[in-house]
């Protein structure tokens, strides 16, 4: 079989319009230059000739000024609009499937470079695994590796485009761990570092040049941890803590482009250090900045359990979750969506809604979109929020959508355009699955 023809990258509509506008500006500059050279013609009366020459020169200068202004405006257009790697029309996103090497739930997922890594987790029989499944978007191939220790409830994230971090977790004796397994995408080798405070289910906030490992389950009478470890690009660890009297297991949202993150929502323990805990939804918000900054932020407007969220373009979106009905303890799911704007450092006073209530939804960033999926047995559809327009995109055609309803799954996005959902529990939690669903929004 002969070699396949190389795919030709077609320019987007925005690229065509930008190219046409720049061509118009170039033509205007060329025309103005030609006018200045020609001088507007020669006439016998010197006075008339001078007047016409002055008028021509003024016209040429005005044309040139307008052209230069147009070019400056074009240069001010955000670069991503002309070179975005994401297909804008969600109905054109391509769907495909794959399988992990081992079926499992409670997987930790991270992306680094062109890779997605799905690490550890809980097997069907309840034991933990050290297996890591790695997918390469460029080669479209899977490989398998291993963590240094089998565990579950791992926090996952990355530092820059080189290191994937798998932090903490529970060992086989249900003890929280300080171990951080680090995968180097350049050398394709593993190393390890340690957190100052052992904990399971820590939240990771990627800040570009550093990553914050925040909170988690402490395994002591605090129940929840206020510990924070910053890991920098040299894998050095700087330790501090949240300055709150009530330890919180919150939601971590990262906007790498602005090197900003939020730790908010979730729940807190109002009786830390006591034998009997007092958990309630948390309204605390902490704003993180690179490399090691953290300050108290505005109150989270609608405290609840089980929300999910993500951020891009300075827009932080938190949606779904549940509350407990007074007296009955019944879980009441919500479709509420709250939005935090980095520019104003405030939560929006006007909440939005998901298409259906979702509890512990998976949330990922795909280009300028924030995508909510899973977290419900009512719909397989994806809720897709456009951060440029600050509204949800219509999904009347029910595409893209999940093929299989699942819970306790993992999700990550490679290169900002290939969203992957892996593993989890199916059939109302009776079985673990190895299935992987991929939503490809990449132009190439």
């Amino acid at each position: 079989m002969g070699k396949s023809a190389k795919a030709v990258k077609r320019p987007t509509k925005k690229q065509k319009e930008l190219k046409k506008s720049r061509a118009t500006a170039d033509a205007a500059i060329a025309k103005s230059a030609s006018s200045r050279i020609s001088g507007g013609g020669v006439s016998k009366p010197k006075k008339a000739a001078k007047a016409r020459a002055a008028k021509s020169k003024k016209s040429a200068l005005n044309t040139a000024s307008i052209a230069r202004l147009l070019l400056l405006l074009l240069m001010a257009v955000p670069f991503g609009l002309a070179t975005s790697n994401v297909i804008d029309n969600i109905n054109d996103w391509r769907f495909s499937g794959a399988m992990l090497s081992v079926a499992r739930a409670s997987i930790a997922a991270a992306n680094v470079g062109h890779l997605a890594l799905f690490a550890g987790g809980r097997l069907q029989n309840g034991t933990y695994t050290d297996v890591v499944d790695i997918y390469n978007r460029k080669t479209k191939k899977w490989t398998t590796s291993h963590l240094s220790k089998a565990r579950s409830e791992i926090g996952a994230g990355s530092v820059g485009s080189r290191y994937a971090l798998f932090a903490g977790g529970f060992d086989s004796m249900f003890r929280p761990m300080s171990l951080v397994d680090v995968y180097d995408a350049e050398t394709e080798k593993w190393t390890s570092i340690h957190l100052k405070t052992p904990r399971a289910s820590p939240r990771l906030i990627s800040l570009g040049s550093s990553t914050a490992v925040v909170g988690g389950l402490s395994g002591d009478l605090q129940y929840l941890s206020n510990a924070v470890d910053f890991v920098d690009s040299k894998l050095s660890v700087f330790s501090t803590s949240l300055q709150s009297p009530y330890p919180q297991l919150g939601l971590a949202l990262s906007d790498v482009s602005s090197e900003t993150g939020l730790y908010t929502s979730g729940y807190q323990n109002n009786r830390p250090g006591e034998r009997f805990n007092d958990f309630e939804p948390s309204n605390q918000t902490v704003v993180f900045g690179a490399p090691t900054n953290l300050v108290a932020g505005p109150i989270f407007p609608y405290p609840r359990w089980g929300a999910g969220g993500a951020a891009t373009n300075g827009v932080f979106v938190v949606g779904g979750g549940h509350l407990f009905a007074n007296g009955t303890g019944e879980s009441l799911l919500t479709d509420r969506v709250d939005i935090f704007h980095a520019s104003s450092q405030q939560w929006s006073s006007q909440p939005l809604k998901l298409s259906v209530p979702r509890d512990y939804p998976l949330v990922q960033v795909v280009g300028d979109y924030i995508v909510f999926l899973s977290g419900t047995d009512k719909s397989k559809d994806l809720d897709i929020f456009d951060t440029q327009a600050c509204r949800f995109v219509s999904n009347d055609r029910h595409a893209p959508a999940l093929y299989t309803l699942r819970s306790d799954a993992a999700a990550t996005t490679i290169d900002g355009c290939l969203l992957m959902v892996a593993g989890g529990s199916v059939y109302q939690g009776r079985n673990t699955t190895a299935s992987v669903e991929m939503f490809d929004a990449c132009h190439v």
Side-chain angles (χ1 to χ4, degrees):
M1 183 179 292
K3 294 183 178 179
S4 60
K6 186 176 180 180
V8 178
K9 183 178 180 181
R10 299 184 182 276
T12 65
K13 182 178 180 181
K14 291 175 182 175
Q15 287 174 319
K16 290 179 180 177
E17 291 174 349
L18 188 59
K19 184 176 180 181
K20 183 178 179 181
S21 299
R22 284 177 173 157
T24 302
D26 290 339
I29 290 177
K31 183 177 180 181
S32 68
S34 175
S35 298
R36 290 196 299 273
I37 292 171
S38 67
V42 179
S43 176
K44 287 184 180 180
K46 294 182 179 180
K47 191 173 182 181
K50 287 182 179 180
R52 282 195 294 269
K55 184 177 181 181
S56 175
K57 184 176 180 180
K58 184 177 180 181
S59 176
L61 288 172
N62 287 340
T63 304
S65 298
I66 293 171
R68 289 193 182 97
L69 179 60
L70 178 59
L71 278 176
L72 289 172
L73 289 172
L74 289 171
M75 291 171 66
V77 173
F79 188 71
L81 292 180
T83 60
S84 174
N85 193 35
V86 173
I87 297 171
D88 287 332
N89 188 343
I90 64 172
N91 299 134
D92 292 335
W93 292 5
R94 300 174 295 273
F95 177 86
S96 61
M99 299 292 285
L100 299 174
S101 62
V102 179
R104 57 201 194 271
S106 299
I107 306 169
N111 69 85
V112 62
H114 303 302
L115 307 176
L117 298 92
F118 300 95
R122 174 177 46 80
L123 303 177
Q124 179 71 34
N125 62 9
T127 61
Y128 299 155
T129 180
D130 62 1
V131 170
V132 182
D133 289 295
I134 305 174
Y135 179 75
N136 188 314
R137 188 179 80 84
K138 290 299 184 182
T139 64
K140 302 188 186 307
K141 292 183 179 179
W142 289 86
T143 54
T144 304
S145 187
H146 296 272
L147 298 171
S148 61
K149 297 283 186 181
R151 59 197 196 275
S152 185
E153 314 304 329
I154 307 167
S158 61
V159 179
S161 59
R162 180 171 181 177
Y163 299 113
L165 307 180
F166 298 95
F170 283 126
D171 65 13
S172 59
M173 301 297 291
F174 208 65
R175 295 172 300 199
M177 303 176 70
S178 64
L179 175 66
V180 181
D181 283 314
V182 182
Y183 181 80
D184 187 334
E186 290 187 7
T187 65
E188 300 181 353
K189 293 182 179 179
W190 291 89
T191 187
S192 62
I193 57 177
H194 285 82
L195 305 173
K196 181 179 180 180
T197 304
R199 50 202 195 271
S201 297
R203 308 323 199 200
L204 271 66
I205 299 176
S206 297
L207 301 170
S209 59
S210 65
T211 293
V213 184
V214 189
L217 303 172
S218 62
D220 56 21
L221 289 179
Q222 288 282 111
Y223 291 98
L224 308 179
S225 175
N226 262 345
V228 178
D229 290 292
F230 288 95
V231 181
D232 66 18
S233 58
K234 296 181 180 179
L235 301 183
S236 299
V237 179
F238 169 75
S239 300
T240 183
S241 62
L242 301 174
Q243 301 303 307
S244 167
Y246 306 115
Q248 173 188 9
L249 186 63
L251 181 65
L253 298 87
S254 306
D255 183 10
V256 178
S257 61
S258 64
E259 297 190 336
T260 306
L262 284 190
Y263 188 65
T264 190
S265 188
Y267 61 98
Q268 65 190 41
N269 183 8
N270 292 334
R271 299 170 64 180
E274 299 185 23
R275 182 177 180 183
F276 299 102
N277 60 59
D278 180 14
F279 292 145
E280 70 173 21
S282 179
N283 64 4
Q284 300 177 107
T285 298
V286 179
V287 180
F288 282 75
T292 59
N293 300 320
L294 57 116
V295 295
I299 296 297
F300 183 61
Y302 190 72
R304 56 200 189 267
W305 312 71
T312 189
N313 297 327
V315 180
F316 295 75
V317 182
V318 177
H322 69 272
L323 294 171
F324 291 112
N326 292 331
T328 65
E330 180 185 0
S331 180
L332 303 175
L333 274 60
T334 180
D335 57 6
R336 178 175 170 128
V337 174
D338 292 289
I339 301 172
F340 177 89
H341 295 278
S343 58
S344 64
Q345 293 289 296
Q346 294 294 327
W347 292 98
S348 172
S349 60
Q350 298 295 324
L352 301 178
K353 289 185 177 183
L354 300 168
S355 61
V356 292
R358 298 178 186 269
D359 201 21
Y360 296 102
L362 299 171
V363 192
Q364 289 291 303
V365 173
V366 179
D368 292 330
Y369 297 122
I370 293 177
V371 181
F372 288 79
L373 64 161
S374 192
T376 178
D377 58 2
K378 305 297 183 185
S379 173
K380 296 181 179 180
D381 291 353
L382 277 55
D383 282 317
I384 302 176
F385 182 83
D386 185 342
T387 58
Q388 296 287 0
C390 264
R391 63 177 178 80
F392 280 96
V393 176
S394 174
N395 194 8
D396 294 338
R397 292 176 55 183
H398 306 289
L402 286 171
Y403 182 78
T404 302
L405 290 173
R406 62 182 82 200
S407 61
D408 202 13
T412 192
T413 304
I414 312 176
D415 295 329
C417 60
L418 178 60
L419 193 164
M420 303 179 69
V421 182
S425 298
V426 293
Y427 306 120
Q428 297 181 334
R430 292 191 295 271
N431 295 96
T432 56
T433 181
S435 74
V436 180
E437 299 185 40
M438 296 187 281
F439 301 90
D440 190 350
C442 308
H443 274 301
V444 292

